Amino acid sequence: MANVSAERGRSTRRRLLDAAVALVPEVGWSGVSTRLVAERAGVAPGVVHYHFASVTDLLVAAGLGFTEALLGRLATELRARPDIGEAVEWLLGELSRYSGTDPASLLLVEMFLAATRLPELRQRLGEQVGRFRATVASWLAERGYQGDPAVAAALLAASIDGIMLHRALDPGLDPAALGGPLRAMLGKGAPS
């Protein structure tokens, strides 16, 4: 019986997290309320606060779960590519899936903005980005990058964020057109 109850609790928590991830792009971080989450998840409003101390705690958990999965997938896919140029092409292809106004892009923008006001979110999101950059730096070093791989990884991560932001403002921006400069930047790097 305890296993059934625990599984039901995990399922409810997952529905609440999924509801929060879906609502942030629709109504904005500050527009998400207990009532909206409960309605979307199909639970009573009190259930939200049974699982999370506040809506902010729920949003932080939901957003960080989303970014952890996204950054983990990107890092895994990059590491699977033996060639830096091929990896850049793959990455730009992935970025073309995000318009800047799609739900994932909007969630990320909302999270970055919320992180300027929520120290816990800023710290934990910063740790996730730091792990992503460390993975990319290691991958670059393994591929013979001759410059500072940590600096190149930071620049690549910032480029990914910037491309997503710019696509919201300029839907005609084609990530594939940025391949040449990104490949040149990552090439073999400047001598150390």
mmCIF file of all heavy atoms in Angstrom, residues 70-96:
data_model
loop_
_atom_site.group_PDB
_atom_site.id
_atom_site.type_symbol
_atom_site.label_atom_id
_atom_site.label_comp_id
_atom_site.label_asym_id
_atom_site.label_seq_id
_atom_site.Cartn_x
_atom_site.Cartn_y
_atom_site.Cartn_z
ATOM 1 N N LEU A 70 17.531 19.639 -20.635
ATOM 2 C CA LEU A 70 17.931 20.254 -21.898
ATOM 3 C C LEU A 70 19.451 20.340 -22.016
ATOM 4 O O LEU A 70 20.034 19.919 -23.028
ATOM 5 C CB LEU A 70 17.311 21.650 -22.029
ATOM 6 C CG LEU A 70 17.702 22.440 -23.277
ATOM 7 C CD1 LEU A 70 17.183 21.759 -24.536
ATOM 8 C CD2 LEU A 70 17.176 23.863 -23.180
ATOM 9 N N LEU A 71 20.100 20.875 -21.003
ATOM 10 C CA LEU A 71 21.556 21.008 -21.045
ATOM 11 C C LEU A 71 22.235 19.645 -21.056
ATOM 12 O O LEU A 71 23.251 19.456 -21.739
ATOM 13 C CB LEU A 71 22.054 21.847 -19.861
ATOM 14 C CG LEU A 71 21.676 23.321 -19.903
ATOM 15 C CD1 LEU A 71 22.069 24.007 -18.599
ATOM 16 C CD2 LEU A 71 22.308 24.020 -21.099
ATOM 17 N N GLY A 72 21.677 18.698 -20.333
ATOM 18 C CA GLY A 72 22.235 17.336 -20.340
ATOM 19 C C GLY A 72 22.161 16.706 -21.713
ATOM 20 O O GLY A 72 23.119 16.084 -22.182
ATOM 21 N N ARG A 73 21.023 16.905 -22.381
ATOM 22 C CA ARG A 73 20.868 16.359 -23.738
ATOM 23 C C ARG A 73 21.837 17.028 -24.704
ATOM 24 O O ARG A 73 22.494 16.359 -25.501
ATOM 25 C CB ARG A 73 19.426 16.534 -24.213
ATOM 26 C CG ARG A 73 19.164 15.867 -25.560
ATOM 27 C CD ARG A 73 17.733 16.035 -26.018
ATOM 28 N NE ARG A 73 17.359 17.399 -26.310
ATOM 29 C CZ ARG A 73 17.692 18.058 -27.427
ATOM 30 N NH1 ARG A 73 18.416 17.479 -28.346
ATOM 31 N NH2 ARG A 73 17.300 19.292 -27.612
ATOM 32 N N LEU A 74 21.949 18.351 -24.636
ATOM 33 C CA LEU A 74 22.876 19.060 -25.519
ATOM 34 C C LEU A 74 24.315 18.605 -25.285
ATOM 35 O O LEU A 74 25.062 18.357 -26.241
ATOM 36 C CB LEU A 74 22.764 20.573 -25.320
ATOM 37 C CG LEU A 74 21.502 21.251 -25.826
ATOM 38 C CD1 LEU A 74 21.518 22.734 -25.474
ATOM 39 C CD2 LEU A 74 21.330 21.067 -27.326
ATOM 40 N N ALA A 75 24.709 18.495 -24.032
ATOM 41 C CA ALA A 75 26.076 18.067 -23.716
ATOM 42 C C ALA A 75 26.336 16.649 -24.209
ATOM 43 O O ALA A 75 27.395 16.370 -24.792
ATOM 44 C CB ALA A 75 26.321 18.163 -22.209
ATOM 45 N N THR A 76 25.383 15.761 -24.013
ATOM 46 C CA THR A 76 25.543 14.376 -24.462
ATOM 47 C C THR A 76 25.677 14.311 -25.974
ATOM 48 O O THR A 76 26.544 13.598 -26.506
ATOM 49 C CB THR A 76 24.348 13.520 -23.989
ATOM 50 O OG1 THR A 76 24.339 13.512 -22.564
ATOM 51 C CG2 THR A 76 24.430 12.097 -24.516
ATOM 52 N N GLU A 77 24.836 15.048 -26.669
ATOM 53 C CA GLU A 77 24.890 15.053 -28.136
ATOM 54 C C GLU A 77 26.191 15.661 -28.650
ATOM 55 O O GLU A 77 26.769 15.156 -29.616
ATOM 56 C CB GLU A 77 23.686 15.816 -28.709
ATOM 57 C CG GLU A 77 22.373 15.093 -28.532
ATOM 58 C CD GLU A 77 22.236 13.867 -29.427
ATOM 59 O OE1 GLU A 77 22.956 13.745 -30.421
ATOM 60 O OE2 GLU A 77 21.386 13.029 -29.110
ATOM 61 N N LEU A 78 26.656 16.730 -28.027
ATOM 62 C CA LEU A 78 27.936 17.315 -28.450
ATOM 63 C C LEU A 78 29.078 16.326 -28.243
ATOM 64 O O LEU A 78 29.920 16.140 -29.119
ATOM 65 C CB LEU A 78 28.220 18.610 -27.683
ATOM 66 C CG LEU A 78 27.493 19.859 -28.148
ATOM 67 C CD1 LEU A 78 27.776 21.017 -27.204
ATOM 68 C CD2 LEU A 78 27.890 20.232 -29.568
ATOM 69 N N ARG A 79 29.103 15.706 -27.075
ATOM 70 C CA ARG A 79 30.188 14.758 -26.766
ATOM 71 C C ARG A 79 30.181 13.570 -27.726
ATOM 72 O O ARG A 79 31.220 12.955 -27.958
ATOM 73 C CB ARG A 79 30.083 14.276 -25.327
ATOM 74 C CG ARG A 79 30.446 15.357 -24.323
ATOM 75 C CD ARG A 79 30.647 14.812 -22.943
ATOM 76 N NE ARG A 79 31.769 13.915 -22.818
ATOM 77 C CZ ARG A 79 33.043 14.285 -22.713
ATOM 78 N NH1 ARG A 79 33.359 15.542 -22.742
ATOM 79 N NH2 ARG A 79 33.999 13.386 -22.575
ATOM 80 N N ALA A 80 29.041 13.245 -28.291
ATOM 81 C CA ALA A 80 28.946 12.097 -29.202
ATOM 82 C C ALA A 80 29.525 12.425 -30.576
ATOM 83 O O ALA A 80 29.736 11.519 -31.378
ATOM 84 C CB ALA A 80 27.486 11.662 -29.340
ATOM 85 N N ARG A 81 29.789 13.684 -30.836
ATOM 86 C CA ARG A 81 30.304 14.076 -32.143
ATOM 87 C C ARG A 81 31.826 14.208 -32.089
ATOM 88 O O ARG A 81 32.354 14.989 -31.308
ATOM 89 C CB ARG A 81 29.644 15.378 -32.588
ATOM 90 C CG ARG A 81 28.242 15.044 -33.075
ATOM 91 C CD ARG A 81 27.301 16.167 -33.121
ATOM 92 N NE ARG A 81 26.057 15.749 -33.763
ATOM 93 C CZ ARG A 81 25.154 14.969 -33.210
ATOM 94 N NH1 ARG A 81 25.345 14.484 -32.025
ATOM 95 N NH2 ARG A 81 24.048 14.657 -33.865
ATOM 96 N N PRO A 82 32.511 13.465 -32.945
ATOM 97 C CA PRO A 82 33.977 13.466 -32.891
ATOM 98 C C PRO A 82 34.611 14.718 -33.492
ATOM 99 O O PRO A 82 35.761 15.026 -33.212
ATOM 100 C CB PRO A 82 34.362 12.230 -33.701
ATOM 101 C CG PRO A 82 33.210 11.988 -34.614
ATOM 102 C CD PRO A 82 31.989 12.492 -33.889
ATOM 103 N N ASP A 83 33.859 15.458 -34.285
ATOM 104 C CA ASP A 83 34.431 16.596 -34.997
ATOM 105 C C ASP A 83 33.752 17.889 -34.543
ATOM 106 O O ASP A 83 32.514 17.960 -34.467
ATOM 107 C CB ASP A 83 34.215 16.386 -36.507
ATOM 108 C CG ASP A 83 34.715 17.558 -37.318
ATOM 109 O OD1 ASP A 83 35.943 17.716 -37.417
ATOM 110 O OD2 ASP A 83 33.855 18.307 -37.831
ATOM 111 N N ILE A 84 34.549 18.916 -34.256
ATOM 112 C CA ILE A 84 34.011 20.187 -33.779
ATOM 113 C C ILE A 84 33.094 20.813 -34.829
ATOM 114 O O ILE A 84 32.008 21.291 -34.507
ATOM 115 C CB ILE A 84 35.157 21.147 -33.392
ATOM 116 C CG1 ILE A 84 35.878 20.612 -32.148
ATOM 117 C CG2 ILE A 84 34.621 22.557 -33.139
ATOM 118 C CD1 ILE A 84 37.134 21.374 -31.768
ATOM 119 N N GLY A 85 33.514 20.810 -36.083
ATOM 120 C CA GLY A 85 32.694 21.397 -37.149
ATOM 121 C C GLY A 85 31.346 20.705 -37.277
ATOM 122 O O GLY A 85 30.310 21.351 -37.413
ATOM 123 N N GLU A 86 31.363 19.380 -37.210
ATOM 124 C CA GLU A 86 30.108 18.612 -37.278
ATOM 125 C C GLU A 86 29.223 18.948 -36.077
ATOM 126 O O GLU A 86 28.005 19.086 -36.197
ATOM 127 C CB GLU A 86 30.410 17.112 -37.291
ATOM 128 C CG GLU A 86 29.173 16.246 -37.214
ATOM 129 C CD GLU A 86 29.478 14.791 -36.863
ATOM 130 O OE1 GLU A 86 30.639 14.359 -37.008
ATOM 131 O OE2 GLU A 86 28.531 14.116 -36.434
ATOM 132 N N ALA A 87 29.842 19.114 -34.917
ATOM 133 C CA ALA A 87 29.082 19.437 -33.714
ATOM 134 C C ALA A 87 28.436 20.818 -33.835
ATOM 135 O O ALA A 87 27.284 21.007 -33.418
ATOM 136 C CB ALA A 87 29.988 19.386 -32.492
ATOM 137 N N VAL A 88 29.154 21.771 -34.412
ATOM 138 C CA VAL A 88 28.595 23.106 -34.605
ATOM 139 C C VAL A 88 27.388 23.033 -35.533
ATOM 140 O O VAL A 88 26.344 23.636 -35.269
ATOM 141 C CB VAL A 88 29.662 24.084 -35.146
ATOM 142 C CG1 VAL A 88 29.027 25.372 -35.654
ATOM 143 C CG2 VAL A 88 30.695 24.385 -34.066
ATOM 144 N N GLU A 89 27.516 22.272 -36.621
ATOM 145 C CA GLU A 89 26.390 22.117 -37.553
ATOM 146 C C GLU A 89 25.191 21.490 -36.851
ATOM 147 O O GLU A 89 24.057 21.929 -37.026
ATOM 148 C CB GLU A 89 26.795 21.281 -38.767
ATOM 149 C CG GLU A 89 27.789 21.943 -39.678
ATOM 150 C CD GLU A 89 27.339 23.314 -40.162
ATOM 151 O OE1 GLU A 89 26.164 23.466 -40.559
ATOM 152 O OE2 GLU A 89 28.173 24.242 -40.130
ATOM 153 N N TRP A 90 25.430 20.451 -36.066
ATOM 154 C CA TRP A 90 24.346 19.807 -35.330
ATOM 155 C C TRP A 90 23.695 20.805 -34.372
ATOM 156 O O TRP A 90 22.471 20.913 -34.305
ATOM 157 C CB TRP A 90 24.859 18.588 -34.559
ATOM 158 C CG TRP A 90 23.789 18.060 -33.666
ATOM 159 C CD1 TRP A 90 22.774 17.215 -34.013
ATOM 160 C CD2 TRP A 90 23.570 18.406 -32.297
ATOM 161 N NE1 TRP A 90 21.943 17.018 -32.939
ATOM 162 C CE2 TRP A 90 22.411 17.728 -31.875
ATOM 163 C CE3 TRP A 90 24.248 19.214 -31.385
ATOM 164 C CZ2 TRP A 90 21.917 17.836 -30.579
ATOM 165 C CZ3 TRP A 90 23.751 19.332 -30.097
ATOM 166 C CH2 TRP A 90 22.594 18.640 -29.706
ATOM 167 N N LEU A 91 24.529 21.536 -33.625
ATOM 168 C CA LEU A 91 24.016 22.481 -32.641
ATOM 169 C C LEU A 91 23.172 23.566 -33.304
ATOM 170 O O LEU A 91 22.089 23.904 -32.816
ATOM 171 C CB LEU A 91 25.178 23.105 -31.874
ATOM 172 C CG LEU A 91 24.818 24.065 -30.761
ATOM 173 C CD1 LEU A 91 23.939 23.383 -29.718
ATOM 174 C CD2 LEU A 91 26.080 24.605 -30.129
ATOM 175 N N LEU A 92 23.636 24.086 -34.421
ATOM 176 C CA LEU A 92 22.866 25.114 -35.120
ATOM 177 C C LEU A 92 21.554 24.539 -35.660
ATOM 178 O O LEU A 92 20.527 25.234 -35.668
ATOM 179 C CB LEU A 92 23.698 25.738 -36.229
ATOM 180 C CG LEU A 92 24.876 26.584 -35.713
ATOM 181 C CD1 LEU A 92 25.776 26.994 -36.863
ATOM 182 C CD2 LEU A 92 24.390 27.781 -34.921
ATOM 183 N N GLY A 93 21.591 23.297 -36.096
ATOM 184 C CA GLY A 93 20.353 22.637 -36.510
ATOM 185 C C GLY A 93 19.374 22.528 -35.364
ATOM 186 O O GLY A 93 18.164 22.742 -35.524
ATOM 187 N N GLU A 94 19.884 22.195 -34.192
ATOM 188 C CA GLU A 94 19.027 22.125 -33.001
ATOM 189 C C GLU A 94 18.446 23.497 -32.678
ATOM 190 O O GLU A 94 17.268 23.619 -32.360
ATOM 191 C CB GLU A 94 19.818 21.615 -31.788
ATOM 192 C CG GLU A 94 20.020 20.134 -31.764
ATOM 193 C CD GLU A 94 18.699 19.391 -31.678
ATOM 194 O OE1 GLU A 94 18.007 19.496 -30.650
ATOM 195 O OE2 GLU A 94 18.363 18.697 -32.652
ATOM 196 N N LEU A 95 19.280 24.526 -32.745
ATOM 197 C CA LEU A 95 18.816 25.872 -32.424
ATOM 198 C C LEU A 95 17.748 26.352 -33.399
ATOM 199 O O LEU A 95 16.893 27.165 -33.035
ATOM 200 C CB LEU A 95 19.989 26.851 -32.398
ATOM 201 C CG LEU A 95 20.895 26.729 -31.184
ATOM 202 C CD1 LEU A 95 22.102 27.640 -31.321
ATOM 203 C CD2 LEU A 95 20.143 27.019 -29.902
ATOM 204 N N SER A 96 17.786 25.850 -34.625
ATOM 205 C CA SER A 96 16.774 26.271 -35.598
ATOM 206 C C SER A 96 15.385 25.766 -35.204
ATOM 207 O O SER A 96 14.384 26.276 -35.691
ATOM 208 C CB SER A 96 17.148 25.800 -37.009
ATOM 209 O OG SER A 96 17.036 24.399 -37.102
#
